Amino acid sequence: VVFVTERCVFQLADGELESLRLMSQVELETRKEIGGEISLEYQREGVIEDFPISDSIWIKAGEYSFVTLGGDFRTPQSKRVSVFLMLNGGEFFDGRRYGVLFGPNLTISSGFQLSAQYEYNALRFPDRQNNNSVDIHMINMKALLMLNTKFSASILAQYVNTEDDFIFNFRFRY
């Protein structure tokens, strides 16, 4: 199956392009629900003001266009253990980005699931004199408890090395 998606956002103040995203992807899946996809993405960003990626890496205001190639592989989520792997790389503002995301999931019962994700992104800006690289590590852990169709609870813990902080989120639904 081939998909093409797009997203276009204009600034309210002056009507200039803020963000454009065009992506084409091919998705494949076997009868045993093992699947994956390959994607090619074009982005155009109109950055109004400088913003930080980390304490030492900033993206300057301006117009940027970049292309990214990605792919992923996944096993069936209907199984007790499933995994997801994604690789991507390409241009990123005035530099390059290479990333990998790995996520195992464990279904203990129909009402209890545990999952984790590790994501690594290497950002490189070779044309900059200093502060030209950063490695971003992100770890997510999630537990989901569903007692019935009316009651569920989930907890998420996240750590990102560029923030050097843990984030916790708890959600209760009745």
Side-chain angles (χ1 to χ4, degrees):
V1 178
V2 176
F3 296 99
V4 176
T5 59
E6 65 178 90
R7 179 192 74 197
C8 189
V9 177
F10 293 92
Q11 297 172 12
L12 291 176
D14 57 11
E16 291 292 317
L17 180 70
E18 182 175 328
S19 180
L20 170 69
R21 176 180 177 226
L22 299 171
M23 184 169 72
S24 180
Q25 62 192 44
V26 176
E27 185 174 335
L28 304 169
E29 188 170 306
T30 68
R31 288 187 179 145
K32 294 186 176 191
E33 298 177 13
I34 296 171
E37 71 180 44
I38 297 172
S39 63
L40 182 65
E41 181 177 1
Y42 169 79
Q43 278 187 263
R44 189 160 168 207
E45 298 291 334
V47 178
I48 299 169
E49 48 188 64
D50 299 356
F51 68 91
I53 298 286
S54 69
D55 289 340
S56 61
I57 303 284
W58 283 70
I59 301 298
K60 301 291 183 190
E63 295 285 325
Y64 299 93
S65 296
F66 44 96
V67 176
T68 304
L69 180 64
D72 68 54
F73 169 79
R74 60 189 171 275
T75 61
Q77 288 188 318
S78 58
K79 303 292 184 188
R80 181 174 292 285
V81 177
S82 64
V83 294
F84 178 81
L85 175 67
M86 182 173 75
L87 303 169
N88 60 53
E91 300 166 324
F92 184 74
F93 293 95
D94 61 327
R96 301 194 67 72
R97 177 177 68 121
Y98 306 98
V100 62
L101 183 144
F102 176 72
N105 298 300
L106 176 62
T107 301
I108 295 172
S109 70
S110 62
F112 187 49
Q113 298 173 350
L114 297 173
S115 61
Q117 270 189 353
Y118 170 72
E119 184 174 1
Y120 169 74
N121 282 289
L123 304 180
R124 303 295 181 252
F125 301 92
D127 294 337
R128 296 183 183 186
Q129 287 286 20
N130 51 19
N131 297 327
N132 60 2
S133 70
V134 64
D135 294 326
I136 302 172
H137 302 272
M138 183 172 69
I139 300 169
N140 288 322
M141 293 187 294
K142 182 178 179 182
L144 174 63
L145 175 65
M146 301 171 289
L147 293 181
N148 55 43
T149 58
K150 295 180 180 177
F151 174 80
S152 67
S154 66
I155 188 165
L156 170 73
Q158 181 182 71
Y159 174 77
V160 181
N161 71 312
T162 55
E163 298 295 320
D164 201 26
D165 208 359
F166 278 98
I167 299 170
F168 293 94
N169 180 306
F170 177 76
R171 186 170 78 184
F172 173 77
R173 185 179 74 87
Y174 177 74

